[in-house]
Amino acid sequence: MTKKQFALRFGAAVLSFVLLWFSAGLIDYMRAVCFYKEPVFCMDFGTDENGGFYKGLGYTYAISGNFDYDSPAEYYGAQSVELWVFGQKVKTVLRYEERSDAE
């Protein structure tokens, strides 16, 4: 195997890993932020029926909500989601924002 072949194979392996990591992060982001569900490709740390911390490769979700299966369907799921990427807080999403109807 020449140096050029090695470089191409190594580059393809690195690119494949990066694409897999990005895909897993995107799927977790869509589940947590858009669908208000628990992430799939994260390890859970200290979770219970009120949410918890989920850590992936380079990103962390702090989810608080109602994950008790006996609760009504409209209240089931995440109520707030915080996303950290490489230790920096990136986004906070609230499912039901308080709105003032008083005019």
Side-chain angles (χ1 to χ4, degrees):
M1 180 175 357
T2 65
K3 288 184 180 181
K4 185 176 183 180
Q5 289 176 337
F6 177 77
L8 286 174
R9 289 181 182 177
F10 183 75
V14 169
L15 182 62
S16 298
F17 178 75
V18 169
L19 287 175
L20 284 173
W21 175 74
F22 183 76
S23 298
L26 183 64
I27 290 169
D28 282 343
Y29 178 82
M30 294 296 291
R31 282 185 56 90
V33 174
C34 297
F35 300 119
Y36 301 107
K37 296 183 179 181
E38 297 167 315
V40 176
F41 298 105
C42 293
M43 302 252 330
D44 57 340
F45 290 93
T47 58
D48 59 7
E49 60 189 28
N50 295 323
F53 285 95
Y54 297 88
K55 294 185 180 186
L57 292 173
Y59 57 94
T60 304
Y61 290 98
I63 298 176
S64 63
N66 187 5
F67 294 99
D68 184 17
Y69 291 108
D70 296 333
S71 64
E74 63 266 11
Y75 297 115
Y76 182 82
Q79 304 301 319
S80 69
V81 177
E82 292 181 356
L83 169 63
W84 285 281
V85 176
F86 297 120
Q88 301 295 319
K89 189 173 183 180
V90 176
K91 189 169 190 170
T92 301
V93 178
L94 299 175
R95 186 174 189 177
Y96 302 110
E97 295 182 21
E98 294 182 21
R99 296 181 181 165
S100 174
D101 292 335
E103 293 182 20

